[in-house]
Amino acid sequence: MAGLMSGFGSFTHAVVRAVPQSLAKEALRTGSQEVDLLKVREEYDEYVSVLKHRLGLEVVELPADDALPDSVFVEDVAVVCGDTALITRPGAESRRKETEAMKTALTELGLNIVEMTDESATLDGGDVLFTGREFFVGLSKRTNQRGAEILADVFKDYAVSTVPVQDRLHLKTVCSMAAPGLIAIGSSEPAQKVLKIMQQMSDHKYDKLTVPDDYAANCIYMNLPGKGDVLLHCTPEEFPESAKVFEKLKDHMLIPVNNQEKAKVDGGLTCLSVLINKKNNI
């Protein structure tokens, strides 16, 4: 089995997409809270500013499209590993046209594009956790076995294991990578069950960083020149106890990023970007 991917967490580019006016009323959601569009846009602008100005990534911003209310959540429409991009087939039919702009952007960045055309397959990028050693794919309301099989076929260098996701929207609603070999995981019973399955499936040992709030386990790890280990995570205002857990990671550059409003439409920090490490020869 492949060892840790060379340059795990190294990124040069981020693809994001501006917030459509239609998000507040029409975006899919599991809850029923009212969404303040102005606050969503403030959070989005802060997020993009962190990527661009604090971390120095090249940010490719796709235009907002009011016909696609969920389109700010670009993670779901592409899975990028190395120089290959898998354009997914989102589980929600209303989101399938979101792939078109993403495909164009990733093609322009010089990535090898593979499209998921099998109509029996569904895959949301929010269900795909890449650890640098292997993939875990959540089988959820949005992602099915066939989607996971196609991902395994595209990224043949890595083992792919499937994990049933119950009571949560996506696999990365309850977990993400906080460092190489370190999985951030929520403390709820469903989250801990997911972790146990991943541990049983894997030939690798992972350390765990357990946070009290499941949603806080969705964080973004990067390893960047001149900055080292970087972690974008929840703010103390949003999840005070979970923020304290992240603050124990003394070797990381820790950047709290506000996500309170987007969480009302099931958006996490990882949802808002597709991160790419563009080598000079691509």
Side-chain angles (χ1 to χ4, degrees):
M1 189 181 285
L4 184 68
M5 180 191 197
S6 166
F8 177 66
S10 298
F11 301 108
T12 57
H13 289 66
V15 181
V16 299
R17 191 163 194 176
V19 179
Q21 188 78 25
S22 55
L23 177 138
K25 301 289 185 204
E26 296 173 42
L28 301 169
R29 68 203 75 191
T30 51
S32 56
Q33 290 176 283
E34 278 206 17
V35 175
D36 183 326
L37 191 66
L38 186 62
K39 284 186 181 169
V40 172
R41 287 190 164 139
E42 284 171 359
E43 290 176 1
Y44 170 83
D45 289 345
E46 178 201 359
Y47 182 95
V48 172
S49 178
V50 166
L51 296 180
K52 193 184 287 188
H53 302 300
R54 284 198 67 179
L55 302 179
L57 298 185
E58 288 271 342
V59 176
V60 176
E61 184 175 29
L62 305 178
D65 185 341
D66 276 342
L68 300 169
D70 296 279
S71 53
V72 69
F73 302 124
V74 290
E75 172 185 52
D76 288 324
V77 299
V79 177
V80 175
C81 184
D83 59 3
T84 299
L86 173 62
I87 305 299
T88 68
R89 190 167 181 274
E93 196 171 343
S94 61
R95 300 195 60 191
R96 300 214 173 122
K97 286 201 164 119
E98 293 176 31
T99 59
E100 293 166 11
M102 179 59 70
K103 180 189 168 188
T104 300
L106 297 180
T107 301
E108 287 171 1
L109 284 169
L111 295 172
N112 302 319
I113 305 294
V114 181
E115 288 186 81
M116 188 174 281
T117 55
D118 185 334
E119 292 190 1
S120 68
T122 59
L123 181 78
D124 274 17
D127 277 316
V128 180
L129 179 68
F130 180 58
T131 71
R133 295 184 169 90
E134 61 193 314
F135 284 95
F136 293 104
V137 179
L139 299 182
S140 68
K141 292 186 178 80
R142 301 283 177 86
T143 296
N144 66 17
Q145 182 68 35
R146 184 66 190 124
E149 287 166 4
I150 292 170
L151 181 135
D153 198 45
V154 171
F155 300 112
K156 285 189 170 73
D157 288 348
Y158 297 98
V160 175
S161 302
T162 56
V163 185
V165 176
Q166 290 159 338
D167 307 325
R168 298 293 184 270
L169 182 64
H170 287 134
L171 176 63
K172 280 194 283 197
T173 306
V174 299
C175 66
S176 57
M177 299 307 293
L182 179 66
I183 296 175
I185 186 78
S187 61
S188 74
E189 194 179 331
Q192 290 296 309
K193 194 171 175 184
V194 159
L195 179 67
K196 192 172 181 185
I197 293 167
M198 291 197 297
Q199 288 169 330
Q200 288 167 345
M201 294 271 198
S202 180
D203 290 343
H204 300 287
K205 285 267 184 259
Y206 294 99
D207 293 322
K208 64 176 180 175
L209 183 75
T210 305
V211 292
D213 308 281
D214 282 5
Y215 279 100
N218 183 272
C219 56
I220 300 175
Y221 168 76
M222 300 185 203
N223 185 289
L224 301 175
K227 298 189 170 54
D229 293 321
V230 175
L231 197 69
L232 277 58
H233 64 84
C234 64
T235 62
E237 292 75 28
E238 202 176 356
F239 297 115
E241 296 308 312
S242 291
K244 284 179 193 168
V245 175
F246 288 116
E247 284 158 14
K248 293 175 185 169
L249 296 171
K250 301 295 184 194
D251 295 334
H252 286 54
M253 176 196 279
L254 297 169
I255 305 178
V257 180
N258 193 3
N259 192 61
Q260 281 177 289
E261 209 61 28
K262 293 183 298 298
K264 294 176 182 177
V265 282
D266 305 320
L269 292 178
T270 64
C271 303
L272 293 161
S273 57
V274 172
L275 298 171
I276 297 150
N277 188 17
K278 190 174 185 303
K279 305 283 198 311
N280 292 331
N281 62 348
I282 290 181

